[in-house]
């Protein structure tokens, strides 16, 4: 699908509760990679979670 088939969506982070935008470009990227689910965390919480996992290894 082309990028213009998507519109920005406002989602709520499941960790911090803040709203974040799932952009049309991100949606196209997710579709291209075959990801079916929308992100559930904002960029800051995803980064913090990734860092936490990295530090635990």
């Amino acid at each position: 699908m082309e990028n213009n088939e998507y519109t920005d969506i406002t989602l709520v982070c499941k960790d911090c509760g803040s709203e974040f935008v799932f952009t049309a470009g991100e949606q196209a990227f997710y579709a291209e990679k075959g990801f079916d689910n929308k992100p559930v965390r904002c960029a800051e919480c995803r980064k913090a979670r990734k860092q936490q996992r990295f530090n635990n290894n």
Side-chain angles (χ1 to χ4, degrees):
M1 290 186 192
E2 292 184 28
N3 197 15
N4 61 4
E5 295 181 31
Y6 299 99
T7 58
D8 291 356
I9 301 172
T10 301
L11 302 173
V12 177
C13 178
K14 82 173 203 175
D15 286 354
C16 70
S18 67
E19 291 186 345
F20 65 99
V21 177
F22 185 35
T23 67
E26 290 171 326
Q27 292 173 57
F29 174 80
Y30 271 52
E32 181 181 309
K33 295 294 182 183
F35 302 146
D36 294 329
N37 299 324
K38 297 174 185 171
V40 294
R41 291 179 180 86
C42 66
E44 289 77 25
C45 288
R46 284 196 308 263
K47 183 177 178 182
R49 186 171 167 87
K50 186 176 181 179
Q51 185 67 38
Q52 183 180 26
R53 285 197 321 259
F54 178 76
N55 288 339
N56 287 339
N57 289 334

